[in-house]
Amino acid sequence: MKKSISILITSLLLVSSGVFAQKQATKNPKLVVGIVVDQMRYDYLVRFQNKYGNDGFKRLLKDGFSLENAHYNYIPTYTAVGHTSIFTGTTPSNHGIIGNNWYDKYEQKSIYCVDDDKYATVGNNGDGGKKSPYRLVTTTVTDQLHLAQNMKGKTIGIAIKDRSAILPVGHTANAAYWFDGGSKGQWISSSYYMNELPNWVVDFNKAKKADFYLSKPWNTLYDIKTYTESIEDDNDFEATFKGEDKPVFPHNIPALRAANNDYSILKAIPAGNSFTTDFAKAAIIGEKLGASAHTDFLTLSYSSTDYVGHQFGVASKEIEDTYIRLDKDLADLFQFLDSKIGNGNYTVFLTADHAATQVPAYLQSVKIPGNYIQPAKFLNFLKEQTKKYFNSEELIENMSNFQIFLNKEKIKELKLDYETVAQTLANEAINYKGIYKTVTAKTMQTTMFTNGILNSLQNGYNQKYSGDVLLIPNPSTIIYPKKGTTHGSGYSYDTHVPIIFYGKGIKKGTSKKKYEIIDIAPTIANLLQIEFPNGTSGKIVTEVFK
C-alpha cells in the first residue's frame, strides 16, 4: 500500500513538473532579440521623428516601453565596453573589458579586446577570425539562458564589428558572425565557435549582396532640402572619403571603393545596416531561431551608424540620412519577425553602446566650449614633470584612454615611492589645458564616490587592469582629428542613450526615472525567470512588465 502511494505521489510530481515546464515555455518568448545601435544618442529618436515611418522606431515607442532618462554609469563609453555592460549587467570594474584596446601592464603591450591567437578564422584564410571572448571574466544574460535551459536553445551574435558580435553572446554562444572587409567581403567566425561555416552562411556569402550594396552611390533618401534637422552639407567639420574633395552628397561609392579599402567602405555607409539586417534574417531562417521548445537569443548590433558618426559628426546630413534608413531596416526586421516568429511570440530591446559629442570645432564656431588635446604634446608635458620632480623621463610606460601607466620597474630602480610619483603626476596634470579632474589608482581603491563623474570613473576602474593615474577631460574636449567626432567620456552627450523594451511580456509606456545601462540584463533575466549574470550590479526595471 505504501509503495503504491509513493508511486502515485511520484507520478503526480512528475506530471506537475512537466506542466510547470510547459507553462514556463509558453510564458517565455520564443526569441529574444537584443539590438544595439552603435553610437546612437537618445535625441536621434526625437530630432528625426518626423522623418521616421510608423513601423520602425515609432512602433517600438508606440507599443513598447521607453526609458527616456537612461544613461551609462561608467567611463569609458566605448564600443566593446558598452556591448559588454549591456549584456553582463555590470561595469568594467567587474567584467574586465576596459576598452576596445588598452595597455596590458602584464604583457607590457597594447591589446585588442577580443584578439585570441589560440583560434583560427572560419570562413576564409585571413586573420580576421582569430578572436574569442576570453578576456570577459563574467557571464552574460545569454550565458545564463543557456545554463538555465541545460545548454538547449541557441544564442547567436551578429555585427559588422567583431567585438560587437562576440562580447554580447558571452562564452557559451552557438555562434558569432562578423564582416571581414578589405578584399574579402565575407561574413566570418572563429574556431572558438565552430570548425566550418554553416551552409546558410556559405550561401549568403556566395550571393555577393555586399557587391549589390556597393554598386550605387549614397544619396539622401529624401530631398536633401528637407533635411532641416542637420547643418549645411558642405562644412568644415566633416571628414571626406579618400578620393573626395568635399564631404557632400552624393557619395560616389562605386568610384570610391578602391581607394577606401574595397569592401570596408560598406561599413561606413548606411547600406552596411541593411546588409546586417539581411544577414540577421538569414540567420533566423538558417538556425531556425524561435522554432523550438526553448527560448533562443539573437544579439544584433548595427555598426555603420558609428562609422558614419565618427566621420561626419552628429549634426551632419549623413547621420540624419543614416537614421532615416535604419528606421526602414528596423521596420523590415520587425515585419520579418512577425512573419517568422509571430507577433507576440518575441521580445526585443533596443539600446546603444554609447552616444557621441558634437564636433568640438563646430561647437567653437557657435561659441560653445569645445577643445582638442594632442596626446604627443600632453605626454611631453608629463615627462617634463617627471624630469623636474624625479630627474627621469622614463617613469611613464604608456598613456592611453586618458590613463597613465607608470614604469614600476624604473621607479624601483631609482628607489622612488610609487604613490608619490602617481600623486605628483595627478597634481601636475590638472594644470594642463583641457584636463578637468585627475585621480590616482590609490584614490580609486580607498575612496567611495557615490555620485557625479568621479562615480562614473570609479565604475569603469578595474584594479587589475586599469592605469595608475586616471584623467577626465573638460566637456567636449577630445583626442581626435578636428574633422569628425568621437565618444568615451562620462558626460551626458556620451551617456544618454535609448532603452526601449518591446514585445512579449512588455507593457506600453514611458518612464522619466533615471535608469542605467546595467539594468537591461537583470530585467531580461527576470522576464525569462533565469539567474542574473554572475557579476550583475544593475536592477530590474519593474515598470516595463505587464
Side-chain angles (χ1 to χ4, degrees), residues 177-191:
Y177 300 104
W178 54 95
F179 184 64
D180 198 1
S183 62
K184 305 292 187 183
Q186 299 168 316
W187 289 92
I188 62 171
S189 191
S190 163
S191 59

Side-chain angles (χ1 to χ4, degrees), residues 241-509:
F241 289 109
K242 290 179 181 178
E244 281 187 324
D245 295 326
K246 293 182 177 182
V248 298
F249 282 106
H251 300 284
N252 192 347
I253 301 305
L256 295 169
R257 177 175 171 177
N260 291 270
N261 199 18
D262 201 358
Y263 284 103
S264 291
I265 198 172
L266 181 56
K267 303 175 183 180
I269 60 177
N273 292 328
S274 303
F275 184 54
T276 302
T277 303
D278 291 341
F279 190 76
K281 289 159 63 177
I284 291 168
I285 295 171
E287 298 290 344
K288 297 181 174 59
L289 299 183
S292 75
H294 304 280
T295 299
D296 298 322
F297 206 126
L298 174 66
T299 70
L300 176 60
S301 182
Y302 286 105
S303 304
S304 295
T305 43
D306 185 66
Y307 289 98
V308 175
H310 276 295
Q311 182 172 342
F312 297 100
V314 306
S316 64
K317 298 210 183 297
E318 282 79 4
I319 206 72
E320 180 169 357
D321 191 67
T322 296
Y323 276 88
I324 293 169
R325 291 177 181 273
L326 176 60
D327 180 63
K328 291 187 174 296
D329 290 327
L330 291 172
D332 179 32
L333 176 65
F334 298 152
Q335 288 163 6
F336 178 84
L337 290 170
D338 290 343
S339 171
K340 293 297 179 182
I341 313 299
N343 190 1
N345 289 329
Y346 63 90
T347 303
V348 170
F349 67 82
L350 181 144
T351 188
D353 57 345
H354 53 75
T357 185
Q358 293 270 7
V359 178
Y362 169 67
L363 293 177
Q364 291 171 354
S365 75
V366 294
K367 300 180 181 179
I368 294 174
N371 210 343
Y372 299 87
I373 292 176
Q374 297 182 30
K377 285 186 177 181
F378 184 40
L379 182 57
N380 286 337
F381 169 81
L382 294 173
K383 287 183 176 180
E384 288 173 4
Q385 307 314 308
T386 61
K387 178 70 174 176
K388 174 182 175 181
Y389 287 98
F390 307 109
N391 198 31
S392 175
E393 294 183 348
E394 301 178 54
L395 302 185
I396 298 174
E397 194 166 274
N398 179 269
M399 187 187 75
S400 54
N401 296 333
F402 285 103
Q403 297 185 29
I404 299 168
F405 294 82
L406 295 177
N407 186 334
K408 296 182 177 65
E409 291 301 317
K410 194 66 179 179
I411 289 172
K412 287 180 182 177
E413 179 187 322
L414 297 176
K415 297 181 179 178
L416 299 171
D417 178 68
Y418 158 76
E419 290 178 2
T420 300
V421 174
Q423 189 60 58
T424 300
L425 276 174
N427 293 343
E428 293 300 322
I430 196 69
N431 298 318
Y432 194 82
K433 184 178 180 181
I435 299 297
Y436 177 55
K437 288 183 182 293
T438 65
V439 292
T440 65
K442 181 182 179 181
T443 300
M444 289 284 97
Q445 295 166 27
T446 58
T447 306
M448 179 63 70
F449 297 100
T450 57
N451 54 57
I453 201 161
L454 287 176
N455 171 254
S456 295
L457 189 67
Q458 192 161 49
N459 288 335
Y461 171 76
N462 186 291
Q463 183 177 355
K464 191 173 183 69
Y465 303 121
S466 295
D468 302 291
V469 180
L470 293 84
L471 314 164
I472 298 177
N474 287 337
S476 297
T477 297
I478 61 176
I479 295 177
Y480 206 72
K482 291 194 174 181
K483 293 181 184 291
T485 193
T486 193
H487 48 85
S489 80
Y491 297 112
S492 62
Y493 53 74
D494 278 340
T495 67
H496 189 195
V497 296
I499 297 181
I500 311 172
F501 297 90
Y502 168 88
K504 190 174 181 66
I506 305 299
K507 71 180 182 184
K508 300 178 184 181

Side-chain angles (χ1 to χ4, degrees), residues 10 27 34 63 102 174 258 315 430 442 444 528:
T10 302
K27 178 183 176 184
D63 296 326
W102 66 88
N174 297 88
I430 196 69
K442 181 182 179 181
M444 289 284 97
L528 299 176

